[in-house]
Amino acid sequence: MSNTKQVIKKLREIIKQKGLKNTKQREIILETVLDDKNHLSAEDIYNKISKKYKDENIGMATVYKALKFLEETELINSITIDNTKKFETNFKGHHDHLVCVKCNKIIEFMSETIEDEQEKIAKDNKFVLLKHTMYLYGYCGNCS
Amino acid sequence: MSNTKQVIKKLREIIKQKGLKNTKQREIILETVLDDKNHLSAEDIYNKISKKYKDENIGMATVYKALKFLEETELINSITIDNTKKFETNFKGHHDHLVCVKCNKIIEFMSETIEDEQEKIAKDNKFVLLKHTMYLYGYCGNCS
DNA sequence: CTGATTGCAAATCATTTGCATTTGG
DNA sequence: CCAAATGCAAATGATTTGCAATCAG
């Protein structure tokens, strides 16, 4: 079973558990985020869906409402770049981001060294870490 | 000579060097950011200035234009929280943040190990780093 | 003088909200 | 059934832009 199917199953469980109602739209929106390797803005998602599901006619507000719900239930997460939220799946392991300030390209990475050091710093300051965000900004190979 | 005075001197140099014109407004806006220990939104700055310099009558657009200029010239920097940019001086040495999710206490720290590793990661990905932001979220000693 | 900067108002962009209509359980 | 979700349009909030008036060099 693909990861996407699993996450959609998880969505259905959450909806059932909360006593809400499942809809095709919300599943399409989630699937669109899950299946894209890039970070997508609400508008990106709206455009992709409008093209792929011409018949459906999904409104922008629905996209925003669904994204908000999906982020709250931690099925997806977002980062803000250039005054715009970009969404991605929350099921591909923790990673941090390199962001090109010119072309906005995003590269994901993960460094055990940094993760270990973060834990050490937290411990030194008597903090119990829950999560963190790290963005490195600069010029990518093409833009520098 | 205070740090603030030094930075304002720097602003004047930049303006002269670029052949632009110095204004009281821009200096007031810069000074407001420099002298505040917190991160301020454009509106925060506008409000502080409106109160402190009742006679001046500085417009919101002027605040935004000045902040943009000051960030471009790297006299200040910003982070985006909750769809709103918050500005702070760029002259108190680089640091990252530990944030308590319960009491909102913020501890600033700096780790050479992490900085070095970040440079290494950037290099591996052919990035030229300009800056970065790192926030570690968790419970502080008092709240956990 | 003259081009840069200001300050107002109007415009824009991303996102949210109100509400009548539709739909899932 | 009926509360939840949709989809449109209008509202919002942060930021930008156009432009006439002002001001610094």
Side-chain angles (χ1 to χ4, degrees), chain A residues 91-143:
Chain A
F91 293 89
K92 57 174 180 179
H94 169 70
H95 57 270
D96 294 303
H97 303 88
L98 264 165
V99 183
C100 178
V101 297
K102 192 165 178 202
C103 70
N104 285 327
K105 181 165 71 180
I106 299 170
I107 293 178
E108 296 169 356
F109 69 90
M110 161 62 189
S111 160
E112 281 301 344
T113 307
I114 289 179
E115 304 285 320
D116 291 347
E117 184 70 6
Q118 287 173 336
E119 277 302 335
K120 189 169 164 303
I121 289 162
K123 203 173 167 189
D124 290 347
N125 288 282
K126 303 197 190 315
F127 263 67
V128 179
L129 283 193
L130 294 172
K131 61 173 178 174
H132 72 260
T133 60
M134 181 163 92
Y135 306 115
L136 309 187
Y137 300 96
Y139 292 105
C140 73
N142 293 330
C143 294

Side-chain angles (χ1 to χ4, degrees), chain B residues 31 37 43-44 46 52 56 60 64 66-67 69 73 79-80 87 99 104 112 114 118 123-125 128 132 134 143:
Chain B
E31 199 182 310
K37 64 184 185 306
E43 202 177 4
D44 293 337
Y46 176 76
K52 187 164 178 189
E56 300 294 332
M60 198 61 171
Y64 273 104
L67 289 172
F69 175 84
T73 55
I79 57 177
T80 299
F87 300 84
V99 183
N104 285 325
E112 281 300 344
I114 290 180
Q118 287 173 335
K123 203 173 167 189
D124 290 348
N125 287 283
V128 179
H132 71 261
M134 182 163 91
C143 295

Side-chain angles (χ1 to χ4, degrees), chain A residues 33-83:
Chain A
V33 176
L34 295 176
D35 286 350
D36 203 294
K37 65 183 184 308
N38 299 310
H39 294 69
L40 303 178
S41 68
E43 202 177 4
D44 292 337
I45 294 162
Y46 175 76
N47 290 336
K48 277 179 187 288
I49 289 174
S50 300
K51 207 192 292 179
K52 188 165 180 188
Y53 302 88
K54 290 190 185 65
D55 322 328
E56 300 294 333
N57 194 22
I58 296 179
M60 197 59 169
T62 303
V63 172
Y64 274 104
K65 283 168 190 163
L67 290 171
K68 189 171 213 177
F69 174 85
L70 295 169
E71 193 173 13
E72 280 167 5
T73 55
E74 300 190 315
L75 295 172
I76 64 176
N77 67 67
S78 73
I79 58 178
T80 299
I81 292 174
D82 244 26
N83 273 342

Side-chain angles (χ1 to χ4, degrees), chain A residues 14-26:
Chain A
I14 290 169
I15 286 173
K16 178 172 283 184
Q17 190 214 313
K18 287 181 182 277
L20 303 177
K21 298 180 182 191
N22 197 30
T23 64
K24 198 171 182 180
Q25 289 89 330
R26 200 151 37 186

Side-chain angles (χ1 to χ4, degrees), chain B residues 41-89:
Chain B
S41 68
E43 202 177 4
D44 293 337
I45 294 162
Y46 176 76
N47 290 335
K48 278 179 187 289
I49 289 173
S50 300
K51 207 191 293 180
K52 187 164 178 189
Y53 303 87
K54 290 188 185 66
D55 323 328
E56 300 294 332
N57 194 23
I58 296 179
M60 198 61 171
T62 302
V63 172
Y64 273 104
K65 283 168 190 164
L67 289 172
K68 190 171 210 177
F69 175 84
L70 295 169
E71 193 173 12
E72 279 166 7
T73 55
E74 300 188 318
L75 295 172
I76 64 176
N77 67 66
S78 74
I79 57 177
T80 299
I81 294 175
D82 243 27
N83 272 344
T84 307
K85 274 193 177 177
K86 314 263 190 161
F87 300 84
E88 67 170 346
T89 175

Side-chain angles (χ1 to χ4, degrees), chain B residues 30-43:
Chain B
L30 174 56
E31 199 182 310
T32 302
V33 176
L34 295 176
D35 287 350
D36 204 294
K37 64 184 185 306
N38 299 310
H39 293 71
L40 303 178
S41 68
E43 202 177 4

